[in-house]
């Protein structure tokens, strides 16, 4: 079967790639840990890294999204600024020199310019576009959990506003290093401890998250948390804090479209129940390839 | 001059020691980086580590405070529970086997038992006692900034309540690792950026700190922060968040007694101005030796 297009989500830590046929069907999927950090550590030769990753696929055009288009990536793709039509992404692709016969395009990220706190996304804009293409969602509140979780408002196919929360990165730093790492072990999910963390995060008189985080340690000291469930409590605190704030920003909302990995979506769905909202869950693996394919097609990039 | 008592503040990362005469005057001061972590990494021989640190001083009794009395320290000294009289510390010292002719005592920490979020301190209780001894402060709101900043309420010489904020540890993790470390360089203090961080932290509609932290990155991307001042903005966000919450917990307060290092106290004093409070600043180097000396004396420990 002939490959019509190669779609790649190239992030800071990982990358995923899909070989697609002329109808947009996924022929093959690949993933590895050669994100920006690894490529930079190996000397920063992105063309060589792509050639290795897409071996056997090349010749077909490549469309890429994610941090590969950032200043620390292969080439900076200037942001589209909100409010921006998701459909306008196709007209804003940047072009790189061909690699092994493959034309190369990078999708720009989107930015909210704001003097007090601007915000940026790279890769998530394609997921929003994918939800529109796959599910016909033109309006809604979106949640894209991850290292830097995004909450986004889309109206009539336009990204109008969004907010980033460092939930995943803070969880990673604090569960693996410093004084909380001493009382957290393992990744197993404990629903009860997670719920206790969320409940705690919602108590307005309970101090902010920088106080509540110390509770992971003090509750462990007094046997109220164990190494096996302290991580779930920590996760509940951080996701609860994020959701509490995001929903006060986005009210009224009863339904949120959440796009991400199945495991993370399950965790956020458990949290959502406490906030009286429901998550419409879409796995990003099913959303991103159609979005990148559509952009390639609209840009006239598909191999003829 | 004869040494009547050796006072040591032995923490997780560092330790400080003072040789005191029979009147409580400091004869000599020492400090190094052989905190609990370093001692544990070297095999966990606390007696040997003390003998090296206090070389030339030993023979005189030793009184120690701080994490050396925690479960991960030399020997666990059970907490006194709030509300607790600071004067009761003297009757609760624990005794360890003598080292090189020196009697050894450890001061217990203090704990607030609470099912939702207990809290603990080790070392700070001696600073509160020191403020009482040196300055006669029997009542007040105290701030003890550091890796784990404490806010404490003392009434009639009793510690009645306190809260820990992980401000210093979060600052350390995020300024040295992860995605914010890429935009933060150096430790220099920029008053304007610090003020902007505090102002941002006080905006109730501005999202919580887990959103605001991402602003360190996005403001840097758009040139609103530079590597030289982004760290001060980050510091302002975290100290502003702490102070906002602590003062809502402790209201009404106009005057706060702050005990710590001069550099950290200067930073908190700059923050306090935005919250319409004043800090009565006490350097812990001047507060802790008299407190430990008084405890040793009351416990009958001084070399006769």
């Amino acid at each position: 079967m002939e490959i019509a297009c190669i779609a790649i989500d190239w992030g800071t830590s990982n990358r995923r790639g899909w070989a697609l046929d002329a109808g947009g069907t996924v022929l093959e999927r690949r993933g590895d840990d050669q994100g920006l950090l690894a490529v930079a550590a190996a000397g920063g030769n992105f063309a060589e890294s792509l050639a290795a990753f897409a071996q056997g696929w090349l010749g077909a055009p490549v469309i890429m999204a994610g941090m590969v288009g950032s200043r620390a990536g292969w080439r900076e793709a200037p942001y589209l600024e909100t409010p921006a039509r998701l459909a306008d992404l196709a007209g804003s692709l940047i072009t790189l020199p061909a690699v092994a016969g493959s034309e190369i395009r990078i999708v720009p990220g989107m930015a909210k310019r704001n003097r007090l706190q601007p915000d940026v996304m790279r890769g998530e804009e394609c997921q929003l576009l994918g939800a529109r293409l796959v599910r016909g969602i033109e309006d809604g509140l979106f949640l894209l959990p991850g290292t830097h979780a995004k909450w986004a408002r889309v109206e009539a196919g336009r990204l109008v506003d969004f907010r980033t929360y460092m939930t995943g990165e803070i969880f990673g730093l604090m569960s693996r290093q410093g004084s909380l790492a001493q009382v957290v072990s393992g990744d197993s999910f404990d629903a009860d401890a997670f719920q206790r963390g969320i409940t705690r995060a919602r108590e307005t008189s309970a101090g902010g998250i920088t106080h509540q985080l110390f509770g992971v340690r003090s509750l462990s000291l007094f046997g109220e948390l164990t190494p096996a469930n302290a991580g779930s409590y920590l996760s509940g605190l951080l996701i609860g804090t994020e959701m509490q704030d995001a929903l006060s920003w986005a009210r009224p909302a009863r339904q949120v479209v959440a796009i991400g990995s199945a495991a993370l979506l399950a965790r956020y769905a458990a949290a959502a129940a406490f906030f009286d909202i429901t998550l419409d869950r879409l796995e990003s693996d099913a959303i991103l390839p159609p979005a990148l394919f559509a952009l390639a097609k609209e840009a006239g990039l598909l191999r003829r």
Side-chain angles (χ1 to χ4, degrees), chain A:
Chain A
M1 243 173 312
E2 201 185 19
I3 297 174
C5 172
I6 300 164
I8 297 179
D9 174 31
W10 202 335
T12 301
S13 304
N14 298 290
R15 64 181 163 189
R16 296 178 287 173
W18 300 267
L20 304 163
D21 72 12
T25 299
V26 174
L27 302 173
E28 198 184 341
R29 182 194 188 283
R30 292 180 187 169
D32 68 12
D33 61 359
Q34 294 299 299
L36 265 59
L37 297 176
V39 175
N45 192 328
F46 283 90
E48 194 174 84
S49 180
L50 172 66
F53 182 61
Q55 200 170 13
W57 290 357
L58 288 181
V62 174
I63 184 162
M64 302 188 293
M67 292 298 282
V68 67
S70 69
R71 211 171 294 172
W74 190 338
R75 170 93 72 78
E76 187 168 7
Y79 297 106
L80 291 190
E81 293 191 13
T82 59
R85 293 176 59 223
L86 295 167
D88 287 345
L89 289 166
S92 305
L93 308 184
I94 68 160
T95 301
L96 270 63
V99 172
S102 285
E103 288 192 73
I104 313 280
R105 299 285 186 282
I106 298 182
V107 185
M110 288 192 166
K112 173 174 77 170
R113 296 301 290 260
N114 176 309
R115 204 186 55 79
L116 283 174
Q117 185 163 338
D119 218 322
V120 292
M121 61 168 65
R122 283 196 186 274
E124 292 89 353
E125 69 292 331
C126 291
Q127 306 206 23
L128 298 173
L129 179 66
R132 182 162 171 261
L133 296 170
V134 173
R135 295 281 293 269
I137 305 171
E138 289 277 331
D139 297 272
L141 178 63
F142 288 81
L143 156 63
L144 304 121
T147 305
H148 295 165
K150 313 281 183 190
W151 288 72
R153 276 212 307 262
V154 174
E155 295 173 4
R158 302 163 79 89
L159 176 64
V160 294
D161 198 2
F162 65 102
R163 273 189 180 196
T164 301
Y165 294 83
M166 296 190 75
T167 307
E169 181 169 340
I170 296 171
F171 178 81
L173 285 173
M174 305 212 76
S175 63
R176 287 193 292 268
Q177 296 170 66
S179 63
L180 300 191
Q182 298 166 9
V183 296
V184 171
S185 93
D187 286 337
S188 66
F189 182 69
D190 182 291
D192 173 63
F194 182 74
Q195 170 182 337
R196 284 165 63 198
I198 290 182
T199 304
R200 178 71 182 162
R202 296 190 67 185
E203 289 165 25
T204 51
S205 66
I209 185 72
T210 63
H211 168 55
Q212 291 166 5
L213 287 169
F214 190 70
V216 178
R217 183 170 177 82
S218 59
L219 287 165
S220 297
L221 279 173
F222 292 114
E224 302 283 339
L225 288 173
T226 66
N229 71 13
S232 297
Y233 181 83
L234 172 61
S235 177
L237 280 182
L238 288 166
I239 291 177
T241 295
E242 173 190 329
M243 208 167 261
Q244 173 101 328
D245 183 72
L247 290 173
S248 92
W249 165 75
R251 285 209 187 281
R254 283 285 161 268
Q255 177 90 4
V256 178
V257 182
I259 311 175
S261 69
L264 209 43
L265 290 179
R267 203 169 273 217
Y268 272 82
F274 290 93
F275 290 91
D276 201 21
I277 58 169
T278 56
L279 295 191
D280 181 9
R281 288 184 255 179
L282 304 178
E283 285 198 41
S284 66
D285 255 9
I287 291 297
L288 205 46
L292 289 169
F293 179 81
L295 289 174
K297 187 172 184 178
E298 191 169 338
L301 190 65
L302 293 190
R303 182 145 73 175
R304 285 158 289 268

